[in-house]
């Protein structure tokens, strides 16, 4: 099993519903977020090109955050989901410094926190909160090892990219372009 | 965002330098020529290491789980290496001081018999012990740099030159400490020479670091630009290179020649330069990032 997510940059309107849904679902403290929306505008008016991306942890296959964690708090869970065990984490910040995507934040309780692909919902057969709430249905989630999963199908049909693949992290968050 | 372990960098690097020099001269049988370096300066290291450990602890956000560092060995994590190295080198520094405590307090009495037995034991195997100290001191010295260079996400840190650079900086700080404490003119001359060599190596490594960056990818070129016209240019070249390296090097060359310079000046400047080097690299590194 290999969980992955695809974000359709052509459908995303940047409404930030995914951000709010995540903050609510995961009780993210005020002032922090596990997912966020990036808008990139290129060109000069009136020739403009815009890309909107809903970003979060990439659940990298070759995750530097897991490698540098001195306690094993950051680890790979089922389906390649990168997780932090709160009570193993000493809050040293090594993983925060090691993530090229700045996907982690220090939780006010001391440990480090980040996107979990809503692993607690997956266990109950549900999709991550952001995927379910998206009004334009631009987030696709599923198992890459299953050729018929939503994410496998859309990644076969559409052109996609990942962020900073040259960092060697093998990110599993794909952006449909 | 601050990375814990960073406040350890300066005291840790300096302690590593002092202990490595002490062990090296002891192993080479020069302890009578360089009494201060082998017997006196190491008394600073327990304080430096404790200070560093304390600062590290303060910086951890989930303090109550500190012990997790010592229930795990993660070979791929530099911080795990650092934690375990400290666990060895701190008691080693204490023992080294205990073996030489009579040089500071001639009337010292261990009070308990088993402490005398222990002292005799370590004295018997002192050479082996010095080797252990040398190896762990070098690991600690390199570690302060490798911790940073393992972070691919921060292009400025992502160069293996930081390992030897921080080791050289620690050794020069260690030599400066002996320079400050020694009352023997011959020893001072020798340590001014060591300091000079280390400063030369540091300058060489810094130049190579920037050459490597400029010949590398865009992100590393951007990282180097922080120091070549960017926001850290003045602080780096003035505080680290000119005040912390070139001026003390010139003063030490003059001292080795005919002039008499109060050692306080170059020694303090070297310590200041070593502190600033770490400080600036650590802060600038957190500014540098991949662009996307
Ligand atoms: S995106 Fe960052 S936090 Fe997530 S797995 Fe990759 S390196 Fe780790
Ligand atoms: S902050 Fe926690 S999860 Fe991150 S590297 Fe340190 S111990 Fe591991």
């Amino acid at each position: 099993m290999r969980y992955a997510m695809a974000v359709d940059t052509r459908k995303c309107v940047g409404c930030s519903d995914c951000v709010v849904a995540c903050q609510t679902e995961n009780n993210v403290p005020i002032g922090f977020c596990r997912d966020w929306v990036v808008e990139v505008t290129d060109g000069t008016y009136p020739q403009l090109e815009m890309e909107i991306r809903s970003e979060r942890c990439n659940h990298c296959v070759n995750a530097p955050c897991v490698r540098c964690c001195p306690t094993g708090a950051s680890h790979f869970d089922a389906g390649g989901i990168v997780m932090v065990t709160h009570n193993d984490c000493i809050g040293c910040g090594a993983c925060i410094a090691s993530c090229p995507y700045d996907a982690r934040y220090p939780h006010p309780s001391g440990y480090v926190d980040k996107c979990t692909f809503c692993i607690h919902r997956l266990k109950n057969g549900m999709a991550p909160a952001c995927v379910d709430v998206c009004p334009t249905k631009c987030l696709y989630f599923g198992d890459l090892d299953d050729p018929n999963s939503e994410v496998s199908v859309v990644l076969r049909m559409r052109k996609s990219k990942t962020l900073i693949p040259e960092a060697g992290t093998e990110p599993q968050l794909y952006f449909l372009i | 965002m601050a990375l814990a372990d960073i406040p350890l960098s300066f005291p840790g690097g300096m302690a590593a330098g002092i202990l490595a020099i002490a062990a090296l001269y002891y192993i080479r049988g020069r302890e009578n020529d360089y009494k201060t370096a082998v017997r006196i300066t190491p008394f600073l290291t327990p304080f430096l290491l404790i200070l560093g450990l304390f600062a590290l602890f303060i910086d951890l956000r989930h303090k109550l789980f500190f012990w997790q560092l010592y229930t795990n060995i993660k070979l791929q994590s530099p911080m795990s290496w650092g934690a375990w190295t400290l666990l060895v080198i701190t008691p080693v520094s204490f023992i080294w001081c205990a073996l030489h405590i009579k040089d500071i307090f001639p009337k010292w009495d261990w009070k308990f018999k088993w402490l005398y037995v222990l002292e005799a034991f370590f004295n018997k195997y002192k050479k082996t012990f010095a080797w252990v100290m040398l190896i762990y001191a070098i690991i600690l010295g390199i570690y302060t740099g490798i911790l940073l260079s393992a972070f691919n996400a921060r292009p400025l840190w992502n160069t293996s030159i930081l390992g030897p650079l921080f080791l050289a900086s620690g050794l020069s700080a260690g030599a400066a400490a002996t320079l400050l404490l020694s009352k023997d003119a011959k020893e001072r001359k020798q340590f001014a020479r060591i300091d000079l060599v280390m400063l030369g190596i540091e300058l060489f490594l810094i130049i190579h670091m920037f050459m490597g960056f400029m010949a590398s990818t865009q992100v590393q070129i951007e990282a180097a630009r922080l120091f070549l016209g960017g926001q850290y240019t003045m602080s780096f070249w003035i505080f680290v290179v000119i005040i912390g390296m070139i001026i003390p090097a010139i003063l030490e060359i003059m001292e080795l020649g005919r002039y008499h310079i109060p050692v306080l000046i170059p020694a303090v400047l070297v310590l200041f330069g070593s502190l600033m080097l770490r400080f600036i690299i650590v802060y600038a590194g957190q500014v540098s990032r991949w662009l996307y």
Side-chain angles (χ1 to χ4, degrees):
Chain A
M1 198 159 54
R2 174 66 251 187
Y3 284 124
M5 189 182 283
V7 181
D8 193 339
T9 61
R10 304 226 161 241
K11 280 207 295 195
C12 178
V13 292
C15 66
S16 294
D17 262 12
C18 48
V19 180
V20 178
C22 172
Q23 286 168 328
T24 317
E25 173 73 28
N26 296 301
N27 210 357
V28 177
I30 290 179
F32 297 101
C33 58
R34 289 182 179 186
D35 58 350
W36 59 93
V37 175
V38 176
E39 292 177 16
V40 190
T41 312
D42 280 330
T44 42
Y45 180 81
Q47 276 90 35
L48 292 175
E49 207 258 349
M50 188 174 184
E51 178 176 290
I52 308 181
R53 300 189 298 253
S54 165
E55 294 184 6
R56 57 190 58 46
C57 166
N58 291 267
H59 297 275
C60 307
V61 171
N62 183 17
C65 55
V66 173
R67 219 181 310 134
C68 74
C69 176
T71 66
S74 286
H75 64 279
F76 295 110
D77 215 305
I81 297 181
V82 173
M83 292 288 289
V84 183
T85 310
H86 294 165
N87 284 356
D88 285 351
C89 172
I90 58 173
C92 67
C95 54
I96 298 182
S98 79
C99 173
Y101 311 95
D102 290 330
R104 292 170 168 248
Y105 72 93
H107 193 281
S109 310
Y111 51 81
V112 165
D113 193 39
K114 67 176 215 28
C115 164
T116 59
F117 269 167
C118 282
I119 196 165
H120 59 289
R121 288 169 63 96
L122 301 182
K123 282 179 184 153
N124 293 327
M126 291 188 280
C130 53
V131 175
D132 271 354
V133 83
C134 178
T136 65
K137 299 272 167 269
C138 78
L139 301 174
Y140 302 85
F141 182 80
D143 179 5
L144 280 187
D145 288 343
D146 169 8
N148 298 319
S149 71
E150 219 185 10
V151 68
S152 301
V153 172
V154 79
L155 282 176
R156 273 201 306 276
M157 282 186 338
R158 296 271 303 273
K159 277 206 177 97
S160 65
K161 67 170 182 187
T162 51
L163 297 178
I164 344 180
E166 61 274 28
T169 53
E170 295 183 49
Q172 296 303 309
L173 184 59
Y174 295 85
F175 293 90
L176 306 172
I177 46 179
Chain B
M1 181 197 80
L3 183 66
D5 250 32
I6 280 170
L8 179 75
S9 183
F10 177 67
M14 185 171 163
I18 295 175
L19 292 178
I21 293 172
L24 196 65
Y25 276 131
Y26 179 78
I27 290 167
R28 294 183 55 207
R30 308 291 294 273
E31 84 174 302
N32 289 326
D33 298 338
Y34 305 117
K35 279 201 183 85
T36 320
V38 176
R39 297 182 181 167
I40 309 293
T41 327
F43 277 89
L44 292 175
T45 59
F47 297 103
L48 288 169
L49 290 172
I50 296 280
L51 180 83
L53 272 167
F54 185 70
L56 185 157
F57 182 71
I58 293 285
D59 240 32
L60 293 181
R61 295 191 195 83
H62 221 194
K63 296 190 182 36
L64 288 180
F65 296 84
F66 180 71
W67 49 272
Q68 287 280 3
L69 272 178
Y70 295 110
T71 50
N72 291 282
I73 298 182
K74 296 276 166 200
L75 291 181
Q76 283 194 316
S77 162
M79 206 173 281
S80 182
W81 275 85
W84 286 101
T85 306
L86 277 169
L87 198 67
V88 176
I89 195 89
T90 312
V92 163
S93 79
F94 272 94
I95 294 171
W96 189 263
C97 293
L99 292 180
H100 297 102
I101 196 136
K102 292 203 175 98
D103 290 302
I104 295 209
F105 305 105
K107 291 211 184 70
W108 185 267
D109 177 15
W110 282 115
K111 295 232 168 44
F112 299 103
K113 185 154 176 270
W114 61 274
L115 282 173
Y116 280 104
V117 175
L118 218 58
E119 189 187 19
F121 172 83
F122 279 112
N123 266 325
K124 193 167 157 209
Y125 296 105
K126 202 165 165 192
K127 202 147 209 174
T128 321
F129 188 69
W131 273 107
V132 172
M133 185 160 104
L134 178 64
I135 291 166
Y136 273 92
I138 290 176
I139 296 179
L140 177 65
I142 294 182
Y143 157 73
T144 56
I146 289 296
L147 170 71
L148 302 182
S149 54
F151 292 129
N152 156 301
R154 312 292 149 194
L156 180 72
W157 291 345
N158 193 210
T159 161
S160 41
I161 285 193
L162 283 190
L165 177 61
F166 279 23
L167 177 64
S169 147
L171 285 168
S172 72
T178 295
L179 203 56
L180 269 180
L181 296 177
S182 176
K183 293 194 184 68
D184 171 7
K186 246 185 77 199
E187 187 174 25
R188 280 214 301 265
K189 259 212 161 105
Q190 171 71 1
F191 275 84
R193 237 178 266 138
I194 295 179
D195 226 4
L196 208 53
V197 172
M198 286 304 149
L199 289 177
I201 293 176
E202 274 179 70
L203 270 176
F204 173 82
L205 290 174
I206 286 175
I207 292 168
H208 268 247
M209 185 170 84
F210 283 115
M211 281 170 63
F213 281 149
M214 293 315 277
S216 185
T217 54
Q218 188 64 32
V219 283
Q220 292 202 308
I221 294 174
E222 295 290 339
R225 283 204 183 126
L226 288 172
F227 294 87
L228 306 170
Q231 53 176 314
Y232 289 97
T233 313
M234 293 291 252
S235 44
F236 184 76
W237 295 100
I238 294 182
F239 289 136
V240 178
V241 177
I242 297 182
I243 300 185
M245 293 179 187
I246 295 182
I247 295 182
I250 293 174
L251 291 178
E252 277 164 3
I253 292 173
M254 287 167 72
E255 166 88 29
L256 290 175
R258 258 170 303 148
Y259 301 93
H260 185 69
I261 314 278
V263 285
L264 188 70
I265 303 173
V268 168
L269 289 181
V270 166
L271 290 178
F272 173 77
S274 175
L275 179 69
M276 287 308 277
L277 169 73
R278 289 160 197 268
F279 203 70
I280 292 176
I281 296 275
V282 162
Y283 273 84
Q286 298 185 36
V287 173
S288 81
R289 48 173 300 156
W290 288 82
L291 315 159
Y292 69 100

